[in-house]
Amino acid sequence: MIESELDLAVKQPAIRLWRRLVYTTQGKVREVEAALAPLELTMTEFDLLAVLRRFDGATQQEVAQRLLFTEANMSYHAKRLVARGLIERQTAGKRKLLRLTATGQHLVEQALPKVLEIHELQFSDLNDEELMTLRNLLRRLK
């Protein structure tokens, strides 16, 4: 492919839209990370704690599936949160169950209102119809 063909390819609507989606997502993630920083939580750690808040006692594999984590990534984050005293691992046969500790429960309860507020602000420029349209379009991309 010669340089002018590459220039044309980069300007294609799908490529431009992909770049906009990534750019927007990265900016929104940074906003959430900044809100969680005073609690010494990353967005990934918050997401894991939030899943356990809803599905306490879920297996490590179930949590990984909900978060789209690889097994290694899930193991890494679970070990870190266990070391911080935020979650506990319990073995049930071959399964590893994850539970929030009281400290983890308290932390996620502190973080949740902050994250909800950030998300409300992030989408505040869209009306209900636009939000529904965006949601439906993103579902179609799955």
Side-chain angles (χ1 to χ4, degrees):
M1 200 180 277
I2 61 175
E3 190 171 335
S4 63
E5 290 175 335
L6 283 174
D7 290 337
L8 286 174
V10 170
K11 293 178 182 176
Q12 293 301 311
I15 299 298
R16 292 173 58 100
L17 182 58
W18 170 253
R19 292 182 64 198
R20 169 55 56 194
L21 188 60
V22 169
Y23 176 81
T24 301
T25 300
Q26 288 173 342
K28 300 304 181 190
V29 167
R30 281 192 297 275
E31 290 173 9
V32 174
E33 292 276 358
L36 292 171
L39 298 174
E40 298 180 11
L41 275 178
T42 66
M43 193 171 83
T44 300
E45 292 167 339
F46 168 78
D47 287 344
L48 197 155
L49 294 175
V51 166
L52 288 179
R53 180 182 178 270
R54 184 155 182 227
F55 302 101
D56 198 39
T59 66
Q60 191 164 305
Q61 183 179 10
E62 291 167 340
V63 175
Q65 287 171 345
R66 289 193 177 281
L67 295 171
L68 303 176
F69 282 4
T70 63
E71 188 175 322
N73 198 12
M74 181 66 223
S75 184
Y76 169 80
H77 288 290
K79 284 178 187 173
R80 286 178 46 95
L81 293 176
V82 166
R84 290 178 57 193
L86 301 176
I87 66 172
E88 297 173 337
R89 270 188 179 150
Q90 299 172 339
T91 304
K94 293 182 179 182
R95 301 173 352 151
K96 294 176 188 168
L97 306 179
L98 301 178
R99 297 194 181 281
L100 285 174
T101 63
T103 303
Q105 179 73 33
H106 178 71
L107 188 58
V108 76
E109 295 296 333
Q110 282 184 288
L112 190 55
K114 293 174 188 268
V115 172
L116 292 175
E117 181 181 355
I118 291 287
H119 289 323
E120 288 290 327
L121 285 170
Q122 289 174 331
F123 291 97
S124 64
D125 287 345
L126 302 178
N127 64 37
D128 289 345
E129 185 179 333
E130 291 168 327
L131 287 169
M132 184 66 74
T133 299
L134 179 58
R135 190 163 109 213
N136 290 336
L137 290 170
L138 291 172
R139 279 186 179 152
R140 286 179 53 193
L141 290 177
K142 254 186 165 178

